[in-house]
Amino acid sequence: MELLLVAALVVVAVIDWPVEATDFANRLDPPSGTHLLGTDQLGRDVLARVLGGVRWTVGLGAAAVLVSVVIGTAVGLATGWLDGTRARIVGTLVQSVVDLVVALPALLVGLLVAAVLGPGLAPAMIALVVMGWAPFARLAHRLTVTARTEEWVVAARSLGAGPVWILRVHVLPAITGPLREAFTARFVGAMLTLAGLSFLGLGVQPPTPEWGAMLAEGRTYAFVAPWLVAAPAAAVVLVSALAGRSRIR
């Protein structure tokens, strides 16, 4: 199920949908055989824009989480492998920072980053990564502490294997499964945060067909053309539900 979902999203994301094709003679048309999800205030096909938004909402959310996984896993592996008094102090300090970051609301961090750097795609991605690396660091740290006491790791150390080699060859493959599960869970949160920032005008900016930005544009016409709000909202809910179901299975 998970692989099928990923494959479908990738296929949809790489297709060049006509997201900016306007038809002023058919503005705010309701759903029909010609436009299955209707048109917006500029006569743009809503279905094409929702499908085109996969590249932005889903793609950017996944990219931010992927960067977070790399950073967080590296930090967790390093701090989890440390030994000795000084090493434990460093590990404790790093984990304290991790705990602090995890405790902060993601949307609040996004607002702070946008206040400093201004609205836009880059600040939104920075906010997602700033919030995203800490949970992976905490998980990788805990798993590494457990793995380094396993017999196969102790045997590799006794044979003279270096820490980098042991972490790369033995520990990292052993903790990949839990990290993959955490990736799926974190992806949903990152996607919703990105959509929220864009809805507030702090993330991806119109006319880019990001689902949060589409919601912000469509709310002005919510009573006249409710499909402008319903379509991107349904897309967010559907992808979140499918991703959550894949994680549970």
Side-chain angles (χ1 to χ4, degrees), residues 4 77 238:
L4 289 176
L77 286 171
L238 178 61

Side-chain angles (χ1 to χ4, degrees), residues 72-190:
T73 302
V75 172
L77 286 171
T79 58
W81 187 259
L82 293 174
D83 199 6
T85 303
R86 293 184 179 180
R88 282 196 295 270
I89 292 175
V90 173
T92 301
L93 290 175
V94 172
Q95 288 306 308
S96 298
V97 174
V98 169
D99 293 339
L100 176 62
V101 174
V102 170
L104 295 174
L107 193 57
L108 175 60
V109 174
L111 294 173
L112 293 176
V113 172
V116 175
L117 301 180
L121 172 59
M125 293 295 287
I126 291 173
L128 292 178
V129 173
V130 167
M131 289 303 304
W133 71 272
F136 293 106
R138 170 187 282 177
L139 178 60
H141 174 87
R142 178 172 56 83
L143 294 172
T144 302
V145 170
T146 302
R148 73 180 184 184
T149 61
E150 297 289 342
E151 293 182 359
W152 38 274
V153 173
V154 175
R157 296 180 70 175
S158 65
L159 292 174
V164 175
W165 189 87
I166 295 175
L167 289 172
R168 180 172 57 86
V169 176
H170 292 292
V171 178
L172 185 57
I175 69 176
T176 298
L179 288 173
R180 184 176 59 188
E181 292 291 324
F183 177 95
T184 305
R186 189 65 191 174
F187 158 71
V188 174

Side-chain angles (χ1 to χ4, degrees), residues 12 33 37 41 48 58-59 67-68 80 83 103 105 170 175 198 204 220 224 239:
V12 173
L37 294 181
Q41 69 276 13
V58 178
V67 175
S68 300
D83 199 6
H170 292 292
I175 69 176
S198 299
V204 180
T220 305
V224 178
V239 173

